[in-house]
Amino acid sequence: MELTKTKELMEQLKSDKYLGTYAVQVYLKGDKGFISSQDAGENTYFDVASMGKVLVTTTLILKACDMGMMNIDMTLGDFFDEVPDDKKNITVKQMLTHSSGIRRVEIPDRISDSGREAVIWYILKAELAFEPGKAYLYSCNAFILLGFILEKIFGMTLDKIYEKYITKPLGLNRSKFNIALDEPDAAVCYRWKYPGKYRVDDQNVYTLHGVAGNGASQSCANDIGIFSKAVLDRDERLYSREYFDLAEHNYTPELSESRGLGYLYVDERYKQTGKLFPTGSFGHCGHSGQCFFINRELDMYVVILTNATRYLNMKSGFNGYDYGIVCKMRENIHNAVYKDLKSL
């Protein structure tokens, strides 16, 4: 598979300093293509950011459901004590589909240092954006709570659950939380000028010591490709076959964005997959510049890994950036892949 147009675009974006390091893997009907910047390869670590909401948290929630440990209709009140009345009936399904109304609040170090219960209460005391189930609001904090639910029912930290039930069964050798600050063969994806203690991009994940349910694990094109192929194959090392259909259904067609369980569901309103992925495709994006999407009918997945937000922040002297530029870049990259695949 030749990805000539995609390579040209990625190199132009690199030359224009919209990104520095990148890797793109494309799979179509058994054929695979890969391109990368000179400083990267299929096993180069990238901060997957919010892609971890699917690669880690959603997959483990579905695994727990498959194991009979929970179900998606269970509520916050089923897992935590003294949940405020307006939040105790929020379901796992609502949190997975970003229809819970739970707002993002920045978690102070003093709260994180006080332990998990303090963080849970701090998130839950914040006013809801709307009545649960009535609207859509992307919610990192809801996924932090889902991570805590997983830790409670499995009796171990999220990074250990991830290792036991996903990375080891699938043979993912370059997927983990908290890589070293000087880790070799790792793209610099954090937007900060300096990394601090933890090599993560998200402030709340940083405050939670690099491990949280809303994302910021590290992975590579090869491992995300293995995961995507396992989803295409309905691989029962992840969970039973019935849960694939359950996860990939559009639960919010009447809301402002379509969502499966954890997954972003592509419909005619979604622009970032360009012409490449039709309605019914699914996947997720990461704020640091990443995304992966899957389509069953086409037997296709595409993984795009970049450090675009860091480079955009560097352009401004670390004074902020327009994330809309990253969204448009994704659309353009997917369209370049579309042109390459049309020539096959």
Side-chain angles (χ1 to χ4, degrees), residues 5 31 44 59 63 68 85 90 98 180 220 227 294 297 303 313 327 330:
K5 294 185 183 300
D31 193 10
T44 299
T59 301
K63 182 71 172 180
D85 287 344
I90 291 174
H98 299 279
C220 64
F227 177 92
I294 298 169
E297 288 68 32
V303 179
N313 211 17
C327 298
R330 289 197 188 101

Side-chain angles (χ1 to χ4, degrees), residues 195-297:
K197 294 180 180 179
Y198 308 104
R199 190 169 173 149
V200 298
D201 182 67
D202 184 89
Q203 183 60 54
N204 276 347
V205 180
Y206 186 97
T207 303
L208 294 171
H209 313 299
V211 179
N214 63 314
S217 56
Q218 305 279 335
S219 193
C220 64
N222 187 58
D223 279 5
I224 299 171
I226 292 171
F227 177 92
S228 300
K229 187 63 165 63
V231 172
L232 278 173
D233 292 344
R234 292 188 169 89
D235 192 325
E236 294 195 6
R237 288 177 296 177
L238 291 177
Y239 33 76
S240 297
R241 296 177 69 85
E242 65 188 272
Y243 284 95
F244 291 96
D245 290 336
L246 186 70
E248 298 157 21
H249 176 74
N250 182 10
Y251 290 90
T252 61
E254 75 287 356
L255 302 183
S256 59
E257 187 164 292
S258 291
R259 287 278 167 173
L261 297 182
Y263 284 103
L264 193 159
Y265 184 92
V266 176
D267 61 13
E268 65 280 357
R269 299 176 295 176
Y270 190 71
K271 304 301 183 185
Q272 293 184 53
T273 49
K275 298 178 180 179
L276 184 60
F277 284 95
T279 295
S281 305
F282 54 94
H284 213 281
C285 298
H287 191 89
S288 51
Q290 334 300 8
C291 65
F292 81 109
F293 285 91
I294 298 169
N295 183 274
R296 290 198 176 281
E297 288 68 32

Side-chain angles (χ1 to χ4, degrees), residues 283-325:
H284 213 281
C285 298
H287 191 89
S288 51
Q290 334 300 8
C291 65
F292 81 109
F293 285 91
I294 298 169
N295 183 274
R296 290 198 176 281
E297 288 68 32
L298 297 174
D299 191 21
M300 178 177 70
Y301 69 74
V302 174
V303 179
I304 299 170
L305 303 176
T306 79
N307 55 356
T309 49
R310 177 172 180 79
Y311 269 69
L312 289 174
N313 211 17
M314 289 170 63
K315 273 178 170 284
S316 72
F318 294 96
N319 288 313
Y321 53 88
D322 179 0
Y323 187 65
I325 295 173

Side-chain angles (χ1 to χ4, degrees), residues 3-239:
L3 298 174
T4 306
K5 294 185 183 300
T6 310
K7 181 71 172 180
E8 290 175 356
L9 174 60
M10 300 307 293
E11 286 298 310
Q12 186 62 56
L13 291 169
K14 187 175 188 302
S15 177
D16 293 340
K17 300 189 184 305
Y18 284 99
L19 52 83
T21 306
Y22 69 84
V24 178
Q25 187 181 97
V26 178
Y27 173 90
L28 176 65
K29 296 181 174 25
D31 193 10
K32 187 187 296 184
F34 176 78
I35 58 171
S36 69
S37 53
Q38 288 187 344
D39 60 342
E42 287 191 285
N43 291 311
T44 299
Y45 278 122
F46 287 79
D47 182 342
V48 303
S50 284
M51 282 166 56
K53 288 180 172 68
V54 169
L55 298 173
V56 181
T57 308
T58 295
T59 301
L60 290 173
I61 290 287
L62 294 169
K63 182 71 172 180
C65 291
D66 190 27
M67 294 171 68
M69 304 174 78
M70 61 179 291
N71 65 69
I72 63 171
D73 293 318
M74 294 181 73
T75 66
L76 286 173
D78 293 323
F79 297 106
F80 303 127
D81 297 328
E82 300 180 359
V83 178
D85 287 344
D86 62 335
K87 303 176 184 74
K88 65 182 179 181
N89 292 321
I90 291 174
T91 65
V92 170
K93 177 181 173 182
Q94 287 169 338
M95 289 189 283
L96 287 170
T97 57
H98 299 279
S99 59
S100 68
I102 296 173
R103 298 174 181 271
R104 179 184 176 98
V105 292
E106 298 298 322
I107 301 168
D109 289 335
R110 62 180 174 79
I111 298 297
S112 177
D113 292 343
S114 298
R116 292 295 200 243
E117 294 300 322
V119 176
I120 292 166
W121 176 246
Y122 190 81
I123 293 173
L124 290 179
K125 76 175 184 179
E127 182 182 359
L128 289 174
F130 49 77
E131 182 182 345
K134 299 298 185 181
Y136 169 87
L137 176 68
Y138 188 78
S139 180
C140 285
N141 284 13
F143 270 78
I144 290 175
L145 293 176
L146 289 171
F148 291 152
I149 288 171
L150 288 166
E151 291 184 339
K152 186 167 187 176
I153 64 178
F154 279 103
M156 63 182 85
T157 57
L158 185 63
D159 54 335
K160 298 300 182 184
I161 310 169
Y162 179 46
E163 180 182 15
K164 181 174 181 178
Y165 290 101
I166 300 179
T167 67
K168 283 188 174 179
L170 291 185
L172 308 182
N173 297 316
R174 299 277 288 178
S175 296
K176 62 189 294 187
F177 285 91
N178 274 341
I179 63 173
L181 295 179
D182 59 351
E183 185 78 37
D185 197 15
V188 179
C189 295
Y190 49 83
R191 76 192 82 168
W192 328 116
K193 192 169 186 178
Y194 305 108
K197 294 180 180 179
Y198 308 104
R199 190 169 173 149
V200 298
D201 182 67
D202 184 89
Q203 183 60 54
N204 276 347
V205 180
Y206 186 97
T207 303
L208 294 171
H209 313 299
V211 179
N214 63 314
S217 56
Q218 305 279 335
S219 193
C220 64
N222 187 58
D223 279 5
I224 299 171
I226 292 171
F227 177 92
S228 300
K229 187 63 165 63
V231 172
L232 278 173
D233 292 344
R234 292 188 169 89
D235 192 325
E236 294 195 6
R237 288 177 296 177
L238 291 177
Y239 33 76

